Amino acid sequence: MAGRRVNVNVGVLGHIDSGKTALARALSTTASTAAFDKQPQSRERGITLDLGFSCFSVPLPARLRSALPAPPAAEADAEPGEPRLQVTLVDCPGHASLIRTIIGGAQIIDLMMLVIDVTKGMQTQSAECLVIGQIACQKLVVVLNKTDLLAEGKRQAAIDKMTKKMQKTLENTKFRGAPIIPVAAKPGGPEAPETEAPQGISELIEVVKKVKSMQMFHMPVTSAMQGDRLGICVTQFDPKLLERGLVCAPESLHTVHAALISVEKIPYFRGSLQTKAKFHITVGHETVMGRLMFFSPTPDSFDHEPVLDSFDFSREYLFQEQYLCKDLAPAVTDSGEADKKAGQAIEGRCPRQQWALVEFEKPVTCPRLCLVIGSRLDADIHANTCRLAFHGVLLHGLEDRNYAESSLPQLRVYKLKQKHGLVERVALALSPRRS
């Protein structure tokens, strides 16, 4: 029997043509049917169109062996093999128009490899992938790919220069100090013979052994858990009828028509977040249009500690014409004076936590406390702007189709109203003087 395995899912993300699939191929010894652009459309267009899965394994580091769970009773008497650390690579598309797939892939990974073309540096989709990583992942490794394209005499100097640029880029993110590894996943480019050996791969694998995330995966099992990639043999079934979906325990998922979510604006998004505005809302693997209404705590509760796992219907909340930025009071917009008045009402202060009511154009099925990402995917994919607008957590789903009558009255959101008057003249009634 094969030894027990610990699995970690590593997402491979980056700009189109940065060499993600070539890197996954160089790292992998086992590829699934979805890996390495085997789809006809992928081969024809020369780009990855869906998530690809492949894997490689190395001996499990000694420090992780003691953390292995006890084997199932059915396997306890079997001869144990060498424990292995299996790295499953999730190859995400790089094309900007496939960002829905990229976001979905990012939610199932434990570590992210951000692949950078060393000859070009950070590009628009590279930045968007970094933003997604900050939201959905805790660990990052930067891979400077295509080092073979650098002039040999100036190669190391160019690598050092790009390394410093990436360190500066990561300085103000949670990935500050992340490893940066130079590689040449496919020396000579796509048309080069397969005899050309990749460069820097062993150093990259050495960094990924350092991952401590633990899961059971890719071995004969009688059960599976969230994060595992599971192959199931089903007879008398037309695979063309199969769609991407969810396997879950009863009552763990709910279909909702609207939701109350916590909201945090992504600082790289240049636009404002206006009440009544529509955004693309990604929940799990599903992306639908949704209309937003923003609100915040009452001003005397602005400094309260954020609560990220529940929503309190017993409190009162302050309606906002737009999301309140952390550095500025709401700006005056074309929508009128309401934003200015809201800014004056709170005297430039900003709450530590804000929420939004999201009304979906069509129902979505999702678990409670799942990740929510708001985007402007209709923006020009060639513009040098971040389309990811905000992220948050789904705190409460409204399952009733008639939620506006049945549930929304419980939401105690009020508006600040002011009346302004002008006194033009004061008339005093004088009584006659008495002698």
Side-chain angles (χ1 to χ4, degrees), residues 106-124:
Q107 296 185 74
I108 61 173
I109 63 176
D110 305 300
L111 176 144
M112 172 175 153
M113 286 186 187
L114 180 62
V115 184
I116 303 294
D117 184 334
V118 73
T119 66
K120 298 178 181 178
M122 286 287 289
Q123 300 177 80
T124 303

Side-chain angles (χ1 to χ4, degrees), residues 241-404:
L241 300 177
L242 182 64
E243 297 180 359
R244 177 169 290 169
L246 299 169
V247 178
C248 59
E251 302 299 324
S252 61
L253 295 180
H254 303 276
T255 299
V256 300
H257 298 267
L260 297 171
I261 67 171
S262 63
V263 179
E264 184 171 348
K265 183 178 180 181
I266 293 171
Y268 308 105
F269 182 71
R270 295 179 181 176
S272 60
L273 306 182
Q274 298 281 348
T275 283
K276 297 184 179 179
K278 288 186 177 181
F279 287 83
H280 293 86
I281 310 297
T282 300
V283 183
H285 286 280
E286 197 165 1
T287 299
V288 300
M289 294 299 296
R291 187 187 300 274
L292 301 176
M293 182 195 77
F294 294 97
F295 56 96
S296 63
T298 55
D300 59 351
S301 302
F302 272 16
D303 297 326
H304 284 190
E305 192 73 21
V307 179
L308 301 178
D309 60 356
S310 63
F311 183 83
D312 189 352
F313 280 92
S314 67
R315 294 174 55 187
E316 289 189 336
Y317 300 92
L318 177 62
F319 171 85
Q320 300 292 357
E321 292 287 348
Q322 66 178 22
Y323 178 89
L324 303 181
C325 295
K326 296 185 181 302
D327 52 346
L328 296 172
V332 180
T333 66
D334 295 338
S335 60
E337 288 291 314
D339 301 308
K340 182 178 179 181
K341 292 176 182 177
Q344 293 172 343
I346 61 172
E347 299 177 349
R349 296 169 57 212
C350 182
R352 295 185 62 184
Q353 183 173 15
Q354 299 179 59
W355 299 269
L357 168 68
V358 183
E359 298 180 276
F360 301 111
E361 288 195 348
K362 67 175 185 178
V364 297
T365 301
C366 59
R368 182 176 170 271
L369 300 181
C370 65
L371 176 65
V372 178
I373 298 179
S375 314
R376 275 283 167 81
L377 302 183
D378 51 352
D380 183 3
I381 63 175
H382 302 293
N384 188 25
T385 58
C386 180
R387 295 170 294 167
L388 306 171
F390 63 87
H391 66 95
V393 174
L394 194 149
L395 301 176
H396 184 86
L398 304 179
E399 300 179 47
D400 188 349
R401 184 183 298 272
N402 300 315
Y403 64 89

